[in-house]
Amino acid sequence: MATNETLTGTVETVIYQNPANDYAVIELVTDVGELITAVGILPFVAEGENLHLHGKWGHHPDYGQQFTVESFEKFLPTGCDDILRYLSSRVVKGIGPVTALKIVNRFKEDSFDVIENHPEWLADIPGISMKKAREISVSFSEQNGMRTLMMLAGQYFSTPTLVRIYKQWGSEALTRLQDNPYDLCRFFHGITFERADAMALSLGGARDSYKRIVSGMQYVLYYNAQNNGHVCLPCEKLVEGAASILEIEKNTVEDALLRALDEKKLYIEKQGEHRLVYLPQMLDAESYVASKLHLLADHCAVFSREDVERCIERTELEYGMRYADLQRVAIYEAMRGGVTVLTGGPGTGKTTVIRALHTIFTDMGMEVALCAPTGRAAKRMSEATANKARTVHRLLEMERSDTLTPVFGRNEKNPLEEDVLIVDEASMIDLPLMDALLRAMRRGTRLILIGDTDQLPAVGAGNILGDVVASESFPTVRLSEIFRQADGSRIVTNAHRINRGAVPEYNADGGDFFFVGAEESHISDTVADLISRRLPNAYGDAIRERIQVITPSRKGAAGTESLNRILQGTLNPKHPRKKEIIFRDAVFREGDRVMQIRNNYDIEWKKKGKDGDGRGIFNGDIGILHAINEKDETMTLVFDDRVAEYDFSLLEELEHAYAITVHKNQGSEYPVVLFPSYFCAPMLMSRNLLYTAVTRAREMVILVGRRDAVDRMLANNREILRYTGLRARLNKNL
């Protein structure tokens, strides 16, 4: 195995440079006079610069031996010849070879100092105006800023991460890092508090400083919002969590919390026995959602009962059917109220109600928008209703932004024009997205939320649908009669049995709901054998592409980490014709099934084989790693009908998706679902997790593993606790 080495030298030639991702190929004259080729992420690299390169030697099949750079430091040249070559390379805007020669002839080794600190002296040179002199100084400062940033933080962050920081913060990056390194973990994905904290302490920050403690508390709140769904935290849990990661006494954290509350950096509200602490943006969002829902409910035109009945009867005639009693109630409530909730399990007729409402409101001349939180859910909504449905992000006209939070073109100043919004899979909507949606709705617009409250709550912060229903503040109709069930199929009926805590019915002849027993240590191998051999033998090779493995946990004998490693080796093994990348402990190979693990609002995509493009790949989107371009350090990924190009730096946003957790599968649906049943973390051994997994399947469900693990999940009907204040606010108790 190649070992890490360090090379020092001067850039002789920049052979290739990709401005989009900063990948470069350079020739370097080392300090022993050897000319070598180096490749890697080398932002703003220029001829004449002195570099310290850290990386490994390798052999490219086309270009021979080359040094792959993993990190580097850059230093400005000192001799006149190297300064001239550097400035002649056009790395500084406004300076070409002729101007470079004039500057170096005039100022010699002081050229850089003059450009940065005395740009007005440049104007003494014929051909350089005062305006041009200032522009040259600004451009040079930008180059120098990146170099200084790398010298300051290179030991803590990778070069691609530093490039991201510099591109977002620009010339302010160095000052912001020195002033508050903890901003990094708040504004950049993938930068942990621990890494930012290590840098802050190395810069002389005190372990018990107020800035460090406040940043630690903010991080605990932010982490719990992103990973555990909590909008807020009880005071004692926040203090305990912050004291733990900061490794300081709890009373020191409590003192800092009082000051942070006084300075309005955090907020606290009393709810029952809890004193809940909020980040300002979360408190603002939750308060707005509660007030706007009541506003919509109170300011909506009301149709008479007679008008509603006539609309329902006319729609029944059009479709040649009679709606069930509860379906008629749902249609009636949606036409009478400004905010209505329709909930129910699979096969209970929610889609039928959506079609009816779309037809009725459209016939009345009203504009109707159908939307869902994810692309897959929106696509299913379109197919089921035969009407166009969009993601909530696209409906709100998401715009490019340098921040972690999206910016939407539709908002309070530019509201949506539709009269009715019907939102499917509403259990997946988190608080920030609900806040954005409601801000874009005009007073008088109707909001109809469709979802299944027995499924898991959203991946992000909040429990919007559950809190709205539990508040009993708005009309809620629960559909219970099962309509969608093919002859002999047990998927829907077993889903409802699971929801009641009853054992599913397995393994009927010609059925579609099976149990395959296996000890925990053999579950992964059994799943791999089912996908690679047994199911294709029974149903044909095409079934492999129709299967999704959904498992409770990342850890354990049949968690995603173990399963993905085994399934990749079985379904997409190493091959000389397949390029691959090693990132951390994982191998990403052409042909791999992968998943986006966080929202990225900037990734651009094009429709596969069609006109149209867009932006944004979201948490939970599943695609295929189609191609790897080693030269440009880019990858082509295909998400259904969308084709996107990723930089290698975005590998931190991808995971293998041969097996994915139930939480990541909300809103998705697959022909065949394999679910490993084994004993994992107690909080994951729940009835609603099993129910959510089973309801992802259209044609077949196979449980693999231990029956007693299924029994444990059926017996555990505890809801996943999420700290939110929305229910209390809707009831006007906060």
Side-chain angles (χ1 to χ4, degrees):
M1 178 178 286
T3 58
N4 284 316
E5 292 188 38
T6 298
L7 298 179
T8 300
T10 303
V11 179
E12 179 71 16
T13 310
V14 178
I15 299 173
Y16 171 81
Q17 197 162 32
N18 186 333
N21 60 15
D22 297 304
Y23 179 81
V25 180
I26 65 171
E27 287 184 329
L28 187 85
V29 178
T30 68
D31 52 5
V32 295
E34 182 182 6
L35 182 67
I36 63 101
T37 300
V39 300
I41 304 297
L42 296 162
F44 308 116
V45 70
E47 294 170 3
E49 283 186 310
N50 299 317
L51 303 181
H52 291 333
L53 306 180
H54 310 285
K56 299 176 182 178
W57 285 103
H59 189 275
H60 191 280
D62 297 325
Y63 304 108
Q65 189 181 43
Q66 57 188 25
F67 190 78
T68 300
V69 179
E70 296 178 352
S71 64
F72 74 104
E73 297 95 46
K74 59 194 302 188
F75 305 91
L76 289 174
T78 54
C80 285
D81 289 343
D82 287 338
I83 292 173
L84 177 60
R85 191 188 323 165
Y86 175 84
L87 292 177
S88 297
S89 69
R90 300 185 187 276
V91 69
V92 178
K93 291 180 182 178
I95 299 181
V98 174
T99 304
L101 183 60
K102 292 178 181 179
I103 293 173
V104 175
N105 282 341
R106 173 72 67 90
F107 300 110
K108 305 295 190 287
E109 287 88 351
D110 296 328
S111 294
F112 291 146
D113 178 62
V114 170
I115 292 172
E116 183 171 21
N117 300 310
H118 307 287
E120 67 277 7
W121 295 0
L122 297 175
D124 294 336
I125 297 175
I128 301 181
S129 65
M130 187 62 71
K131 179 182 178 183
K132 184 176 180 181
R134 293 193 185 99
E135 290 173 348
I136 288 171
S137 182
V138 169
S139 176
F140 179 79
S141 294
E142 289 177 351
Q143 305 293 326
N144 200 35
M146 182 64 201
R147 178 180 63 84
T148 308
L149 181 66
M150 295 180 72
M151 293 178 65
L152 175 72
Q155 69 186 99
Y156 301 103
F157 307 109
S158 67
T159 298
T161 298
L162 290 172
V163 171
R164 280 197 295 142
I165 294 168
Y166 193 77
K167 285 185 174 179
Q168 182 163 321
W169 284 351
S171 59
E172 297 180 356
L174 191 63
T175 302
R176 293 189 67 167
L177 274 185
Q178 291 172 325
D179 180 59
N180 189 0
Y182 299 103
D183 279 350
L184 290 170
C185 56
R186 295 173 53 209
F187 292 103
F188 295 93
H189 282 308
I191 297 182
T192 64
F193 177 84
E194 290 76 12
R195 191 71 62 86
D197 190 40
M199 179 180 172
L201 294 174
S202 73
L203 293 175
R207 300 188 67 82
D208 60 353
S209 71
Y210 172 65
K211 181 183 293 185
R212 179 172 186 257
I213 299 172
V214 170
S215 298
M217 289 189 290
Q218 291 171 333
Y219 178 74
V220 169
L221 288 167
Y222 179 79
Y223 178 88
N224 274 277
Q226 295 296 309
N227 295 279
N228 299 321
H230 299 308
V231 174
C232 49
L233 284 177
C235 182
E236 61 276 10
K237 288 188 176 293
L238 173 62
V239 169
E240 183 178 342
S244 176
I245 68 165
L246 297 171
E247 297 181 338
I248 59 176
E249 296 297 323
K250 288 197 290 186
N251 61 346
T252 307
V253 178
E254 289 169 347
D255 292 341
L257 175 58
L258 291 175
R259 179 176 167 185
L261 294 171
D262 185 57
E263 295 178 356
K264 301 190 183 307
K265 292 180 177 177
L266 298 173
Y267 289 84
I268 195 165
E269 295 201 355
K270 195 171 188 310
Q271 182 185 142
E273 61 184 20
H274 293 302
R275 295 166 64 234
L276 301 176
V277 184
Y278 286 81
L279 290 166
Q281 63 269 32
M282 285 297 187
L283 179 62
D284 181 60
E286 191 176 83
S287 300
Y288 184 86
V289 166
S291 62
K292 187 62 174 282
L293 285 173
H294 278 299
L295 182 71
L296 292 175
D298 295 340
H299 294 83
C300 189
V302 177
F303 297 101
S304 69
R305 179 177 291 275
E306 294 76 16
D307 287 341
V308 174
E309 289 293 338
R310 279 195 295 270
C311 289
I312 293 175
E313 290 169 2
R314 187 166 59 246
T315 307
E316 286 178 332
L317 286 173
E318 181 177 340
Y319 286 109
M321 63 180 297
R322 169 81 179 177
Y323 297 118
D325 290 344
L326 281 176
Q327 290 177 322
R328 294 173 72 90
V329 171
I331 297 169
Y332 174 80
E333 294 292 356
M335 294 184 67
R336 295 272 296 173
V339 177
T340 309
V341 179
L342 174 62
T343 183
T348 55
K350 297 190 296 294
T351 301
T352 299
V353 174
I354 295 174
R355 281 199 300 263
L357 290 171
H358 189 279
T359 299
I360 290 171
F361 286 127
T362 301
D363 288 347
M364 296 172 66
M366 302 171 75
E367 291 291 328
V368 181
L370 302 180
C371 61
T374 68
R376 285 176 176 264
K379 184 178 181 181
R380 288 199 296 113
M381 193 181 190
S382 293
E383 293 169 348
T385 64
N387 289 289
K388 180 182 178 181
R390 290 167 283 179
T391 63
V392 177
H393 294 88
R394 176 155 281 204
L395 176 71
L396 296 179
E397 299 176 9
M398 183 186 66
E399 299 175 349
R400 182 179 294 277
S401 170
D402 289 333
T403 65
L404 286 183
T405 54
V407 174
F408 297 107
R410 294 291 183 171
N411 48 46
E412 291 162 297
K413 295 181 179 179
N414 183 31
L416 294 166
E417 298 169 359
E418 286 83 0
D419 305 294
V420 181
L421 264 62
I422 302 178
V423 186
D424 199 12
E425 296 288 356
S427 64
M428 297 177 61
I429 295 183
D430 61 17
L431 177 62
L433 187 58
M434 190 65 174
D435 177 51
L437 180 64
L438 291 175
R439 288 182 188 275
M441 292 180 64
R442 294 175 290 110
R443 179 184 300 189
T445 306
R446 296 176 190 275
L447 176 64
I448 302 164
L449 300 174
I450 316 286
D452 186 346
T453 53
D454 293 316
Q455 290 187 21
L456 295 171
V459 173
N463 183 20
I464 299 295
L465 186 65
D467 284 346
V468 169
V469 171
S471 74
E472 300 181 348
S473 298
F474 311 101
T476 298
V477 180
R478 298 177 183 271
L479 300 180
S480 55
E481 185 178 351
I482 300 174
F483 297 99
R484 176 173 60 84
Q485 188 58 57
D487 292 341
S489 176
R490 283 187 167 82
I491 295 176
V492 172
T493 52
N494 273 339
H496 287 272
R497 288 178 66 86
I498 290 169
N499 207 21
R500 298 193 304 270
V503 177
E505 297 176 346
Y506 303 118
N507 301 352
D509 291 338
D512 57 5
F513 203 104
F514 302 97
F515 187 93
V516 177
E519 290 301 316
E520 286 195 10
S521 59
H522 296 143
I523 291 176
S524 293
D525 291 334
T526 303
V527 168
D529 187 47
L530 282 165
I531 298 173
S532 63
R533 185 182 65 83
R534 293 168 62 179
L535 289 172
N537 286 345
Y539 298 96
D541 290 340
I543 197 171
R544 287 195 188 97
E545 302 302 319
R546 297 161 59 78
I547 298 170
Q548 180 61 58
V549 180
I550 303 176
T551 187
S553 174
R554 296 176 60 86
K555 305 294 183 180
T560 56
E561 293 178 0
S562 172
L563 277 166
N564 275 316
R565 188 166 52 252
I566 291 172
L567 291 174
Q568 182 193 41
T570 302
L571 302 175
N572 190 33
K574 188 178 182 67
H575 192 279
R577 294 182 182 177
K578 290 186 176 182
K579 297 177 183 177
E580 57 185 44
I581 319 159
I582 298 175
F583 181 73
R584 293 176 180 159
D585 296 328
V587 176
F588 288 88
R589 184 175 297 135
E590 289 179 338
D592 274 345
R593 183 184 289 189
V594 295
M595 177 177 61
Q596 180 78 15
I597 60 171
R598 62 173 64 101
N599 292 336
N600 188 318
Y601 302 96
D602 289 334
I603 296 175
E604 296 180 348
W605 50 261
K606 294 184 179 298
K607 286 281 189 180
K608 186 178 180 181
K610 304 176 185 176
D611 292 333
D613 54 25
R615 189 170 63 249
I617 302 294
F618 302 113
N619 190 355
D621 283 354
I622 294 175
I624 299 296
L625 176 49
H626 178 70
I628 295 172
N629 185 327
E630 295 171 327
K631 179 180 178 181
D632 290 350
E633 294 209 340
T634 60
M635 306 167 288
T636 302
L637 279 78
V638 180
F639 296 89
D640 294 327
D641 59 350
R642 297 169 296 162
V643 181
E645 186 174 280
Y646 278 52
D647 293 339
F648 280 8
S649 62
L650 293 177
L651 281 166
E652 65 183 12
E653 298 186 8
L654 294 175
E655 287 183 352
H656 289 102
Y658 297 101
I660 51 185
T661 63
V662 179
H663 282 86
K664 290 288 188 181
N665 266 287
Q666 293 165 258
S668 299
E669 195 174 74
Y670 309 95
V672 181
V673 166
L674 266 65
F675 179 79
S677 58
Y678 65 102
F679 287 91
C680 53
M683 64 178 294
L684 298 174
M685 300 291 291
S686 67
R687 186 186 303 176
N688 67 343
L689 187 141
L690 177 61
Y691 172 81
T692 302
V694 166
T695 54
R696 300 307 90 205
R698 288 197 305 271
E699 300 170 13
M700 185 185 299
V701 172
I702 304 175
L703 307 186
V704 183
R706 298 178 54 166
R707 286 182 185 259
D708 54 351
V710 175
D711 294 339
R712 177 75 62 84
M713 298 178 84
L714 291 171
N716 179 12
N717 197 31
R718 291 177 296 177
E719 294 184 5
I720 296 175
L721 174 64
R722 289 204 167 184
Y723 292 110
T724 82
L726 182 59
R727 177 180 176 182
R729 291 185 199 284
L730 290 172
N731 289 330
K732 301 184 179 177
N733 292 328
L734 260 185

